[in-house]
């Protein structure tokens, strides 16, 4: 194996291609640090819509995507060891709609109740998947839920814009997207609400490569250097930039040690 082919999409704050924080997306920096740790491999990056990235995995094209949900059992992709973690998906909406949603569906929000409420329109970026919430959303789809799926470039940011313009009422996302919106816009701030069904859970992130011989070789290279990548100052700094809220009563870095590094020792 002589090279890595990274595929990325315009989905801040995972990848940020323009503006004040260009190049400071979580997975932009993860790729930077990995590339530096693997100087023997040539690398390139291709920007594609999320739906196209998935199609290429299904067609067995050689590529790696740095921002996947960790699954230990290979499917369309074979994955690295975990790189970091996320608090679970929640509801992002306006302050006004947040008050209405919590009055009717609780706080944390009972998603199984909200998705059956026809007074609130749900939208999401095409290609986005919610494994922990799949059964709830699928049941709602079978009855009446017809969510707005936005495809193409900048789909995640476009969904937030649609919420602000009252074209949809809420989306399901990680809190870091609300943080990105707060840091980069002067609009009325959006609100993040926890989901009752996944409260206190967490999601591991990982790098996924095509599930073939090329991908297996790529993951072996990545896993070999991952311990130093996980604790690289540049990667930790970008995690600090976007994971600014405490999770429960603990700082993100404390939980990172326990959940990803599997240690409670102090690290720089």
């Amino acid at each position: 194996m002589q090279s890595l082919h990274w595929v990325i999409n315009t989905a801040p704050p995972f990848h940020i291609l323009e503006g004040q924080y260009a190049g400071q997306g979580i997975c932009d920096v993860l790729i930077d640090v990995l590339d530096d740790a693997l100087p023997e491999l040539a690398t390139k990056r291709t920007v594609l819509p999320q739906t196209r990235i998935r199609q290429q995995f299904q067609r067995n094209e050689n590529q790696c995507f740095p921002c996947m949900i960790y699954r230990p059992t290979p499917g369309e992709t074979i994955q690295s060891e975990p790189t970091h973690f996320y608090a679970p998906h929640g509801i992002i909406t306006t302050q006004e709609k947040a008050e209405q949603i919590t009055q009717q569906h609780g706080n944390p929000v009972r998603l199984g109740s909200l998705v059956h409420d026809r007074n609130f329109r749900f939208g999401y970026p095409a290609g986005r998947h919610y494994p922990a919430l799949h059964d709830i959303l699928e049941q709602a789809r079978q009855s009446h839920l017809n969510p707005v799926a936005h495809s193409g470039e900048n789909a995640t940011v476009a969904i937030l814009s649609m919420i602000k313009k009252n074209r949809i009422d809420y989306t399901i996302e990680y809190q870091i997207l609300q943080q990105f919106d707060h840091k980069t816009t002067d609009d009325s701030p959006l609100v993040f609400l926890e989901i009752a069904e996944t409260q206190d859970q967490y999601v591991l992130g990982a790098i996924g490569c095509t599930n073939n011989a090329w991908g297996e070789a790529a993951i072996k290279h990545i896993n070999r250097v991952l311990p130093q990548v996980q604790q690289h100052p540049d990667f930790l700094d970008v995690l600090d930039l976007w994971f600014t809220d405490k999770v429960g009563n603990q700082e993100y870095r404390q939980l990172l040690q326990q959940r990803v590094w599997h240690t409670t020792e102090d690290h720089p």
Side-chain angles (χ1 to χ4, degrees):
M1 182 178 191
Q2 298 180 333
S3 64
L4 281 174
H5 179 201
W6 297 108
V7 285
I8 64 176
N9 61 340
T10 50
F14 305 98
H15 298 286
I16 307 175
L17 304 185
E18 59 185 13
Q20 177 184 358
Y21 293 99
Q24 295 184 60
I26 294 165
C27 294
D28 296 327
V29 176
L30 176 58
I31 293 175
D32 291 342
V33 175
L34 268 166
D35 285 351
D36 287 346
L38 294 169
E40 71 274 19
L41 298 180
T43 67
K44 69 173 182 176
R45 304 183 196 189
T46 305
V47 181
L48 295 171
Q50 184 63 41
T51 49
R52 175 77 179 280
I53 290 171
R54 176 153 192 172
Q55 288 169 357
Q56 293 190 167
F57 277 128
Q58 292 170 339
R59 293 199 295 262
N60 208 37
E61 297 188 24
N62 293 340
Q63 61 182 24
C64 295
F65 185 64
C67 272
M68 303 198 85
I69 294 173
Y70 173 70
R71 296 183 183 89
T73 303
E76 293 172 356
T77 65
I78 182 171
Q79 297 190 349
S80 71
E81 293 299 314
T83 52
H84 56 294
F85 81 93
Y86 307 93
H89 289 104
I91 305 297
I92 294 181
T93 186
T94 62
Q95 180 65 54
E96 178 185 4
K97 292 291 169 55
E99 292 172 3
Q100 297 172 13
I101 288 171
T102 54
Q103 286 173 3
Q104 298 175 45
H105 304 287
N107 189 10
V109 177
R110 300 182 302 277
L111 184 64
S113 172
L114 174 60
V115 292
H116 288 281
D117 189 334
R118 297 173 187 261
N119 293 315
F120 298 103
R121 296 157 294 175
F122 167 48
Y124 69 103
R128 181 60 52 84
H129 295 273
Y130 307 99
L133 303 169
H134 172 80
D135 291 346
I136 295 171
L137 296 172
E138 190 59 31
Q139 183 182 37
R141 282 192 180 98
Q142 290 175 4
S143 64
H144 76 280
L145 183 66
N146 186 25
V148 175
H150 193 289
S151 60
E153 297 296 313
N154 295 305
T156 52
V157 174
I159 285 291
L160 299 188
S161 178
M162 291 174 71
I163 292 172
K164 294 174 183 179
K165 294 176 181 176
N166 274 330
R167 294 175 59 191
I168 59 174
D169 296 308
Y170 69 96
T171 191
I172 299 173
E173 261 298 351
Y174 294 115
Q175 189 169 12
I176 53 174
L177 188 60
Q178 179 220 14
Q179 293 286 351
F180 174 80
D181 184 74
H182 177 69
K183 289 177 182 290
T184 58
T185 70
D186 296 323
D187 300 332
S188 298
L190 294 172
V191 175
F192 179 88
L193 301 171
E194 292 185 352
I195 291 174
E197 288 89 342
T198 54
Q199 189 182 25
D200 299 325
Q201 298 179 20
Y202 63 93
V203 179
L204 292 171
I207 298 157
C209 300
T210 310
N211 189 8
N212 58 19
W214 181 92
E216 289 181 5
I219 290 299
K220 284 182 180 178
H221 280 281
I222 290 167
N223 280 340
R224 175 170 54 82
V225 299
L226 201 54
Q228 70 193 65
V229 169
Q230 290 171 334
Q231 299 180 38
H232 192 286
D234 290 350
F235 187 49
L236 292 177
D237 285 348
V238 80
L239 293 177
D240 286 345
L241 176 63
W242 300 113
F243 293 96
T244 56
D245 286 343
K246 288 186 177 182
V247 182
N249 293 318
Q250 292 183 273
E251 299 288 349
Y252 181 85
R253 284 219 197 171
Q254 293 175 321
L255 291 169
L256 187 67
Q257 293 172 18
Q258 298 167 23
R259 296 173 175 179
V260 181
W261 302 348
H262 303 296
T263 177
T264 57
E265 298 174 4
D266 290 331
H267 289 273

